[in-house]
Amino acid sequence: MLTIYFNGEPFKVTQSSLPDVLLELNAPAICAVAVNGQFVPKDQHQNVILQEQDALDAFTPMQGG
Amino acid sequence: MSWQLAGNTLNSRFLIGSSLYPSPHIMQQSIAASGAQVVTVSLRRQSPGLKGGDSFWQHIKSLNCHILPNTAGCYSAKDAIHTAIMAREVFNTHWIKLEVLGDEYNLQPDPFALLEATKELIAQGFEVFPYSTDDLVLAERLVSAGCNIVMPWGAPIGTGRGLINPYALKTLRARLPDTTLIVDAGLGAPSHAVQAMELGFDGVLLNTAVAEAQNPILMAQAFRDGIAAGRSGFEAGVIQQRDLAKPSTPVLGTPFWHQDKDDRGG
């Protein structure tokens, strides 16, 4: 079990690879992902293993002017 | 009449924002009523479990418009570049409305950080739509950096004050005849858009004036018509102002007109 911060809130997850964690957290299908403030392009998700206390952020389309 | 924006042929010169509407439904109807073919959007982190972003995106996608993601809220070149790169992946476009703000009071762009971010993003293959002030030298530097488009403000974002410096905007148009110039932000009334278009600007981008109108859908139509009218006026060639009145109705042959009287036409 791993505690990570997903969009600022703590979550316990059983997986550690980024694609699995996104699935486990039911992250939006369309989003950009950053780990500890660094953008991770989609084609590199599979190379990322999350660590305890990592910050995972998912950015989704939103209203804008 | 159609025009070219970043290699795309468009029929509308109205670029519209997707924020601040009373509801997603009114947003969708307003954008449709505006006739705009370019819609600005943003990227935001949302609370886990909320699906608002998905719903919003479905509404936007159904409009079949070109998507222009922004970097709103960024106060450094680094943050803006980071946001632009993420937006490229999410929205699958190399277009970016580049906002790098320098002051929290009037949300004025930081010209130095804007130029820095522009250079980097152009090097990375982006089509940069920089949100700038009406400063001529900044606009020239942005063009020198590779921008095909510059978007000077009419007034600070959301103020509805209209064109606060028509002289500066007119100068931009005169000095950058080959650059696509779009007035972005600060407009409140359709007449402001008419004025911008009559100055020869290529388009108008706005959000608040429509979204916060009492009737956003009707206001979207009003701006649509104003932008088209202003453009037609520019293309038709507005007459020069003069001090001396000049009758529009022929004086010769006026009933009861006598040769020895002054011309008093109307």
Side-chain angles (χ1 to χ4, degrees):
Chain A
M1 203 67 113
L2 207 60
T3 300
I4 61 156
Y5 287 85
F6 178 50
N7 285 352
E9 293 181 24
F11 280 86
K12 289 198 181 301
V13 290
T14 58
Q15 308 291 321
S16 60
S17 87
L18 180 55
D20 291 341
V21 170
L22 289 170
L23 213 58
E24 188 174 343
L25 292 171
N26 198 22
I30 298 168
C31 68
V33 171
V35 175
N36 298 326
Q38 292 299 311
F39 169 57
V40 182
K42 206 157 201 162
D43 61 4
Q44 291 175 28
H45 283 194
Q46 75 240 18
N47 303 326
V48 176
I49 302 296
L50 293 172
Q51 309 293 321
E52 181 73 14
Q53 302 289 311
D54 271 353
L56 171 62
D57 292 307
F59 298 90
T60 53
M62 203 60 71
Q63 294 87 343
Chain B
M1 193 179 291
S2 65
W3 67 301
Q4 292 288 311
L5 178 66
N8 289 269
T9 303
L10 302 179
N11 295 316
S12 168
R13 292 175 179 271
F14 191 177
L15 295 80
I16 196 165
S18 57
S19 200
L20 301 172
Y21 294 88
S23 72
H25 186 59
I26 291 176
M27 173 196 75
Q28 204 172 26
Q29 286 186 299
S30 301
I31 294 173
S34 74
Q37 294 168 285
V38 178
V39 179
T40 54
V41 296
S42 71
L43 264 190
R44 286 290 181 270
R45 201 176 75 164
Q46 68 175 41
S47 294
L50 288 179
K51 290 292 174 189
D54 284 352
S55 160
F56 163 74
W57 183 231
Q58 295 311 320
H59 278 99
I60 291 293
K61 272 209 307 187
S62 69
L63 290 163
N64 286 321
C65 290
H66 295 277
I67 301 300
L68 178 57
N70 70 27
T71 63
C74 291
Y75 279 82
S76 71
K78 185 184 165 197
D79 286 353
I81 293 165
H82 202 72
T83 304
I85 292 169
M86 292 198 293
R88 178 164 60 182
E89 181 179 273
V90 169
F91 297 110
N92 194 27
T93 177
H94 70 302
W95 287 12
I96 192 73
K97 177 186 165 183
L98 184 60
E99 288 185 42
V100 192
L101 303 178
D103 186 89
E104 289 180 0
Y105 177 73
N106 65 357
L107 302 179
Q108 182 166 336
D110 177 334
F112 310 103
L114 180 67
L115 187 59
E116 181 188 343
T118 294
K119 287 177 179 172
E120 175 59 27
L121 290 171
I122 284 177
Q124 292 197 29
F126 282 86
E127 184 75 63
V128 176
F129 293 59
Y131 168 59
S132 72
T133 62
D134 50 30
D135 186 277
L136 172 62
V137 177
L138 171 60
E140 287 176 334
R141 296 284 167 85
L142 290 167
V143 171
S144 296
C147 287
N148 301 306
I149 301 146
V150 177
M151 302 205 297
W153 67 3
I157 298 170
T159 60
R161 300 175 70 89
L163 307 186
I164 53 173
N165 193 344
Y167 168 78
L169 293 173
K170 204 171 173 180
T171 306
L172 282 180
R173 181 69 289 173
R175 298 292 294 154
L176 298 169
D178 301 323
T179 302
T180 298
L181 293 177
I182 295 169
V183 169
D184 178 10
L187 305 191
S191 57
H192 299 153
V194 176
Q195 193 187 0
M197 297 306 292
E198 284 178 352
L199 289 177
F201 278 75
D202 296 286
V204 164
L205 196 166
L206 59 88
N207 190 156
T208 310
V210 167
E212 292 194 343
Q214 288 181 22
N215 184 336
I217 299 166
L218 187 58
M219 188 59 85
Q221 292 170 347
F223 269 100
R224 175 198 67 194
D225 295 344
I227 289 165
R231 181 65 191 182
S232 295
F234 171 72
E235 289 179 2
V238 177
I239 64 163
Q240 293 293 313
Q241 289 186 13
R242 57 188 161 224
D243 292 328
L244 183 65
K246 181 182 164 195
S248 50
T249 307
V251 174
L252 190 65
T254 303
F256 317 116
W257 178 76
H258 298 287
Q259 191 72 51
D260 57 343
K261 288 189 176 175
D262 293 336
D263 291 349
R264 298 189 188 105

